[in-house]
Amino acid sequence: MLRTRVITAILLVTGLLLTVFLASKQVWAIVTLGISLLAVMEWAHLIKLNRTQSFTVVVMTALIGVCVLSLQYTVLAPYQTYTELALLSISTLFWLVIAPVWLGQRKACQHRFMMAILGILLISATWIALVGLHEINPWLLIGVIATVSLADSAAYFAGKRFGRHKLAPTISPGKTWEGVLGALAAVTIYGGLLCYCQQFSLWLVPALWLVVVFSIMGDLVESLMKRQAGLKDSGQLLPGHGGILDRIDGFIPTLPMILLSISLLHFSGFNVHG
């Protein structure tokens, strides 16, 4: 299993780097929209939608993507920014307010329509963040992805080696507080190296801690949905990793939050483009 997981990870990283740095902005947007639609299909599977309902959810998500991409070429271009900020804000509000309560109560949401709309909004916001961060600077996007991926890997190995105290046993029995500490330690070293080599402010390190916290929250929310659906993985598309949602659950909260923060700083007069 570990060998398969590593091979898949290497292929994913290679494909990611090639696409991020070689593809045009338009190609990147289309590729990531396609991946987002696969994630929406898995979301629909988790909440037990039938085939017609799943198709409808995917089409709605695709329409959001097409509309966002098309607005920039029309007289309605200014509304593209407002639409993106609205989706990013909704996503951020969910992860700041609703997700912690949901995880605390561990209640199953039986309202499929509401869960379907939630999936459309959260995954659409993640896609917008992928496109937006790439447009600002591909290295910024890679840095964020590296942070979440490093935290996930460190938590996995630290939990396997030192895990004793369960983080959320009724949601995800494999996750431990030792794994969380391992993730924070790895990201602290990563952030410290970035600060030293790139002369970034040391405030980057606590910012990365927040990224770790919300990436874990995203992981737990997906784990709760899988447990309530009676599934081990969201899909079987990625050998050793499960489905698309299993691979991007940590990015769904973090990427929109980061782009929204950068956008707000930009509108406040800060130069975020270097």
Side-chain angles (χ1 to χ4, degrees), residues 36 39-40 43 57 61 64 86-96 98-99 102 114-130 217-218 221-222 225 245 248-249 251-257:
S36 299
V40 169
W43 183 284
V57 168
T61 308
I64 291 176
L87 286 169
L88 295 174
S89 299
I90 291 171
S91 175
T92 299
L93 182 64
F94 171 80
W95 292 108
L96 287 176
I98 301 175
W102 188 13
M114 186 172 66
M115 287 297 295
I117 296 300
L118 177 63
I120 292 172
L121 294 174
L122 293 182
I123 295 173
S124 294
T126 305
W127 170 68
I128 286 173
L130 283 166
M217 188 181 296
V221 165
E222 197 225 355
M225 291 178 63
L245 281 178
I248 69 168
D249 51 12
F251 301 122
I252 295 176
T254 53
L255 293 182
M257 282 186 177

Coordinates of all heavy atoms in Angstrom, one line a residue, residues 36 39-40 43 57 61 64 86-96 98-99 102 114-130 217-218 221-222 225 245 248-249 251-257:
S36 N -12.2 19.7 -10.6 CA -13.2 20.1 -9.6 C -14.5 19.4 -9.9 O -15.2 19.0 -9.0 CB -13.4 21.6 -9.7 OG -12.2 22.3 -9.4
A39 N -14.4 16.0 -8.4 CA -14.6 16.1 -7.0 C -16.0 16.3 -6.6 O -16.5 15.7 -5.6 CB -13.8 17.3 -6.4
V40 N -16.8 17.1 -7.4 CA -18.2 17.3 -7.2 C -18.9 15.9 -7.4 O -19.9 15.6 -6.6 CB -18.7 18.4 -8.1 CG1 -20.3 18.4 -8.1 CG2 -18.2 19.7 -7.8
W43 N -18.5 14.1 -4.3 CA -19.3 14.7 -3.2 C -20.7 14.2 -3.4 O -21.4 13.8 -2.4 CB -19.2 16.2 -3.3 CG -20.0 16.9 -2.3 CD1 -21.3 17.1 -2.2 CD2 -19.4 17.6 -1.1 NE1 -21.6 17.9 -1.1 CE2 -20.5 18.2 -0.4 CE3 -18.1 17.8 -0.7 CZ2 -20.3 18.9 0.7 CZ3 -17.9 18.6 0.5 CH2 -19.0 19.1 1.2
V57 N -25.9 18.3 -10.3 CA -24.9 19.0 -9.5 C -23.6 19.3 -10.3 O -23.1 20.4 -10.2 CB -24.6 18.2 -8.2 CG1 -23.4 18.7 -7.5 CG2 -25.8 18.1 -7.3
T61 N -22.1 23.1 -11.3 CA -20.8 23.5 -11.0 C -20.0 23.9 -12.3 O -19.3 24.9 -12.3 CB -20.0 22.3 -10.4 OG1 -20.7 21.8 -9.2 CG2 -18.6 22.8 -9.9
I64 N -21.1 27.4 -13.3 CA -20.4 28.4 -12.5 C -19.1 28.7 -13.1 O -18.6 29.8 -13.3 CB -20.4 28.0 -11.1 CG1 -21.7 28.0 -10.4 CG2 -19.4 28.9 -10.3 CD1 -21.8 27.5 -9.0
A86 N -17.5 36.6 -3.5 CA -18.7 36.1 -2.8 C -18.5 34.6 -2.5 O -18.8 34.2 -1.4 CB -20.0 36.3 -3.7
L87 N -18.0 33.8 -3.5 CA -17.8 32.4 -3.3 C -16.7 32.2 -2.3 O -16.8 31.3 -1.4 CB -17.5 31.7 -4.6 CG -18.7 31.5 -5.6 CD1 -18.2 31.1 -7.0 CD2 -19.7 30.5 -5.0
L88 N -15.6 32.9 -2.4 CA -14.5 32.8 -1.4 C -15.0 33.1 0.0 O -14.6 32.5 1.0 CB -13.4 33.7 -1.8 CG -12.7 33.4 -3.1 CD1 -11.6 34.5 -3.4 CD2 -12.0 32.0 -3.0
S89 N -15.9 34.1 0.1 CA -16.4 34.6 1.4 C -17.3 33.5 2.0 O -17.2 33.2 3.2 CB -17.1 35.9 1.3 OG -16.2 36.9 0.9
I90 N -18.2 32.9 1.2 CA -19.1 31.9 1.7 C -18.3 30.7 2.2 O -18.6 30.1 3.3 CB -20.0 31.5 0.6 CG1 -21.0 32.6 0.2 CG2 -20.8 30.2 0.9 CD1 -21.8 32.4 -1.0
S91 N -17.3 30.3 1.4 CA -16.4 29.2 1.8 C -15.7 29.5 3.2 O -15.7 28.6 4.1 CB -15.4 28.9 0.7 OG -14.5 27.9 1.2
T92 N -15.1 30.6 3.3 CA -14.4 31.0 4.5 C -15.4 31.1 5.7 O -15.0 30.6 6.8 CB -13.7 32.4 4.3 OG1 -12.8 32.3 3.2 CG2 -13.0 32.8 5.6
L93 N -16.6 31.6 5.5 CA -17.5 31.7 6.6 C -17.9 30.3 7.1 O -18.0 30.0 8.3 CB -18.8 32.4 6.1 CG -19.9 32.6 7.2 CD1 -19.4 33.5 8.3 CD2 -21.1 33.2 6.5
F94 N -18.1 29.4 6.1 CA -18.4 28.0 6.5 C -17.3 27.4 7.3 O -17.6 26.8 8.4 CB -18.6 27.1 5.2 CG -18.7 25.6 5.5 CD1 -19.9 25.1 5.9 CD2 -17.6 24.8 5.4 CE1 -20.1 23.8 6.2 CE2 -17.7 23.4 5.7 CZ -19.0 22.9 6.1
W95 N -16.1 27.5 6.9 CA -15.0 26.9 7.7 C -14.7 27.5 9.0 O -14.2 26.9 9.9 CB -13.7 26.8 6.8 CG -13.9 25.9 5.6 CD1 -14.0 26.2 4.3 CD2 -14.0 24.5 5.7 NE1 -14.2 25.1 3.6 CE2 -14.2 24.0 4.4 CE3 -13.9 23.5 6.7 CZ2 -14.3 22.7 4.0 CZ3 -14.0 22.2 6.4 CH2 -14.2 21.8 5.1
L96 N -15.0 28.8 9.1 CA -14.8 29.5 10.4 C -15.9 29.3 11.4 O -15.6 29.2 12.6 CB -14.6 31.0 10.1 CG -13.3 31.5 9.4 CD1 -13.4 33.0 9.2 CD2 -12.1 31.2 10.3
I98 N -19.4 27.4 10.7 CA -20.3 26.2 10.6 C -19.5 24.9 10.8 O -19.9 24.0 11.6 CB -21.0 26.2 9.3 CG1 -21.9 27.5 9.1 CG2 -21.9 24.9 9.2 CD1 -22.6 27.6 7.8
A99 N -18.4 24.7 10.1 CA -17.6 23.5 10.2 C -17.2 23.1 11.6 O -17.4 21.9 12.0 CB -16.4 23.5 9.3
W102 N -20.3 21.8 13.3 CA -20.7 20.5 12.7 C -19.8 19.4 13.3 O -20.2 18.3 13.7 CB -20.6 20.6 11.2 CG -21.1 19.4 10.5 CD1 -21.9 18.4 11.0 CD2 -20.9 19.1 9.1 NE1 -22.2 17.4 10.0 CE2 -21.6 17.9 8.8 CE3 -20.2 19.7 8.0 CZ2 -21.6 17.3 7.6 CZ3 -20.3 19.1 6.8 CH2 -20.9 17.9 6.6
M114 N -29.4 20.7 0.5 CA -28.5 21.6 1.2 C -27.1 21.2 1.1 O -26.2 22.0 0.8 CB -28.9 21.8 2.6 CG -28.1 22.9 3.3 SD -28.8 23.3 5.0 CE -28.5 21.7 5.8
M115 N -26.9 19.9 1.2 CA -25.5 19.3 1.1 C -25.0 19.4 -0.3 O -23.8 19.7 -0.5 CB -25.5 17.9 1.6 CG -25.6 17.7 3.1 SD -24.3 18.4 4.0 CE -22.9 17.4 3.5
A116 N -25.9 19.3 -1.3 CA -25.4 19.4 -2.7 C -25.0 20.8 -3.0 O -24.0 21.1 -3.6 CB -26.6 19.0 -3.6
I117 N -25.8 21.8 -2.5 CA -25.5 23.2 -2.7 C -24.2 23.5 -2.0 O -23.3 24.3 -2.5 CB -26.6 24.1 -2.2 CG1 -27.9 23.9 -3.0 CG2 -26.2 25.6 -2.3 CD1 -27.7 24.2 -4.5
L118 N -24.0 23.0 -0.8 CA -22.7 23.2 -0.1 C -21.5 22.7 -0.9 O -20.5 23.4 -1.0 CB -22.8 22.5 1.3 CG -21.6 22.6 2.2 CD1 -21.3 24.1 2.5 CD2 -21.7 21.8 3.4
G119 N -21.7 21.5 -1.4 CA -20.6 21.0 -2.2 C -20.2 21.8 -3.4 O -19.1 22.0 -3.7
I120 N -21.3 22.3 -4.1 CA -21.1 23.1 -5.3 C -20.3 24.4 -4.9 O -19.3 24.8 -5.5 CB -22.4 23.5 -5.9 CG1 -23.0 22.3 -6.6 CG2 -22.2 24.6 -7.0 CD1 -24.5 22.5 -7.1
L121 N -20.7 25.0 -3.8 CA -20.1 26.3 -3.4 C -18.7 26.1 -2.9 O -17.8 26.9 -3.3 CB -21.0 26.9 -2.2 CG -22.4 27.4 -2.6 CD1 -23.1 27.9 -1.4 CD2 -22.3 28.5 -3.7
L122 N -18.4 25.1 -2.1 CA -17.1 24.9 -1.5 C -16.1 24.5 -2.6 O -15.0 25.0 -2.6 CB -17.1 23.8 -0.4 CG -17.9 24.1 0.8 CD1 -17.8 23.0 1.8 CD2 -17.4 25.4 1.5
I123 N -16.5 23.6 -3.5 CA -15.6 23.1 -4.5 C -15.4 24.2 -5.6 O -14.3 24.4 -6.1 CB -16.0 21.8 -5.1 CG1 -16.0 20.7 -4.0 CG2 -15.2 21.4 -6.3 CD1 -16.6 19.4 -4.4
S124 N -16.4 25.0 -5.9 CA -16.3 26.1 -6.8 C -15.3 27.1 -6.3 O -14.5 27.7 -7.0 CB -17.6 26.7 -7.1 OG -18.5 25.9 -7.8
A125 N -15.4 27.4 -5.0 CA -14.5 28.4 -4.3 C -13.1 27.8 -4.4 O -12.1 28.6 -4.6 CB -14.9 28.6 -2.9
T126 N -12.9 26.5 -4.2 CA -11.6 25.9 -4.3 C -11.0 26.1 -5.7 O -9.8 26.4 -5.8 CB -11.6 24.5 -3.9 OG1 -12.2 24.3 -2.6 CG2 -10.2 23.9 -3.9
W127 N -11.8 25.9 -6.7 CA -11.4 26.1 -8.1 C -11.0 27.5 -8.3 O -9.9 27.8 -8.9 CB -12.5 25.6 -9.0 CG -12.1 26.0 -10.5 CD1 -11.2 25.5 -11.2 CD2 -12.8 27.0 -11.2 NE1 -11.2 26.1 -12.5 CE2 -12.1 27.0 -12.5 CE3 -13.8 27.9 -11.0 CZ2 -12.5 27.9 -13.5 CZ3 -14.2 28.8 -12.0 CH2 -13.5 28.8 -13.2
I128 N -11.8 28.4 -7.9 CA -11.5 29.9 -8.0 C -10.1 30.2 -7.4 O -9.3 31.0 -7.9 CB -12.6 30.7 -7.5 CG1 -13.8 30.7 -8.4 CG2 -12.1 32.2 -7.3 CD1 -15.0 31.3 -7.9
A129 N -9.9 29.6 -6.2 CA -8.6 29.8 -5.5 C -7.4 29.3 -6.3 O -6.4 29.9 -6.3 CB -8.7 29.3 -4.1
L130 N -7.6 28.1 -6.8 CA -6.6 27.5 -7.6 C -6.2 28.4 -8.8 O -5.0 28.6 -9.1 CB -7.0 26.1 -8.2 CG -7.0 24.9 -7.2 CD1 -7.7 23.8 -7.7 CD2 -5.5 24.5 -6.9
M217 N -9.0 20.4 9.5 CA -10.5 20.5 9.6 C -11.2 20.0 8.4 O -12.2 19.3 8.4 CB -10.9 22.0 9.9 CG -12.4 22.2 10.2 SD -12.8 23.9 10.5 CE -11.8 24.2 12.0
G218 N -10.6 20.4 7.2 CA -11.1 19.9 5.9 C -11.1 18.4 5.9 O -12.0 17.7 5.4
V221 N -13.9 16.9 8.1 CA -15.2 17.1 7.6 C -15.4 16.0 6.5 O -16.5 15.4 6.5 CB -15.4 18.5 7.0 CG1 -16.7 18.5 6.1 CG2 -15.5 19.5 8.1
E222 N -14.4 15.8 5.7 CA -14.6 14.7 4.7 C -14.7 13.4 5.3 O -15.5 12.5 4.9 CB -13.5 14.8 3.6 CG -13.8 14.0 2.4 CD -12.7 13.1 1.9 OE1 -11.6 13.1 2.5 OE2 -12.9 12.4 0.9
M225 N -18.1 12.9 6.6 CA -19.1 12.6 5.5 C -18.9 11.1 5.1 O -19.9 10.4 4.8 CB -18.8 13.5 4.4 CG -19.2 15.0 4.6 SD -18.9 16.0 3.2 CE -20.0 15.3 2.0
L245 N -11.4 13.8 -3.7 CA -11.7 14.5 -2.5 C -10.8 14.1 -1.4 O -10.4 14.9 -0.5 CB -13.2 14.2 -2.0 CG -14.3 15.0 -2.7 CD1 -15.6 14.6 -2.2 CD2 -14.1 16.5 -2.5
I248 N -7.7 16.2 -2.0 CA -7.8 17.7 -1.9 C -8.6 18.2 -0.7 O -8.8 19.4 -0.6 CB -8.4 18.3 -3.2 CG1 -9.9 17.9 -3.3 CG2 -7.7 17.8 -4.4 CD1 -10.7 18.7 -4.3
D249 N -9.0 17.3 0.2 CA -9.8 17.8 1.3 C -9.1 18.8 2.2 O -9.8 19.7 2.7 CB -10.2 16.6 2.2 CG -9.1 15.7 2.7 OD1 -7.9 16.1 2.5 OD2 -9.3 14.6 3.2
F251 N -7.2 21.1 1.0 CA -7.1 22.3 0.2 C -8.4 23.1 0.1 O -8.5 24.3 -0.2 CB -6.7 22.0 -1.3 CG -5.3 21.4 -1.3 CD1 -5.2 20.1 -1.9 CD2 -4.2 21.9 -0.8 CE1 -4.0 19.5 -2.0 CE2 -3.0 21.3 -0.9 CZ -2.8 20.1 -1.5
I252 N -9.5 22.4 0.3 CA -10.9 23.0 0.2 C -11.1 24.1 1.2 O -11.6 25.2 0.8 CB -12.0 21.9 0.3 CG1 -11.9 20.9 -0.9 CG2 -13.4 22.6 0.4 CD1 -12.9 19.8 -0.8
P253 N -10.6 24.0 2.5 CA -10.7 25.2 3.3 C -9.6 26.2 3.1 O -9.9 27.4 3.2 CB -10.6 24.6 4.8 CG -10.5 23.1 4.6 CD -10.2 22.8 3.2
T254 N -8.4 25.7 2.9 CA -7.2 26.6 3.0 C -7.1 27.5 1.7 O -6.8 28.7 1.9 CB -6.0 25.8 3.2 OG1 -5.9 24.8 2.1 CG2 -6.0 25.1 4.5
L255 N -7.2 27.0 0.5 CA -7.0 27.8 -0.7 C -7.9 29.0 -0.8 O -7.4 30.1 -1.0 CB -7.1 26.9 -1.9 CG -6.0 25.8 -2.1 CD1 -6.2 25.1 -3.4 CD2 -4.6 26.4 -2.0
P256 N -9.2 28.8 -0.6 CA -10.1 30.0 -0.6 C -9.8 31.0 0.4 O -9.9 32.2 0.2 CB -11.5 29.4 -0.5 CG -11.4 28.0 -1.0 CD -10.0 27.6 -0.5
M257 N -9.5 30.5 1.6 CA -9.1 31.5 2.7 C -7.9 32.3 2.4 O -7.9 33.5 2.6 CB -8.8 30.7 4.0 CG -10.1 30.2 4.8 SD -9.6 29.5 6.3 CE -11.2 29.1 7.0

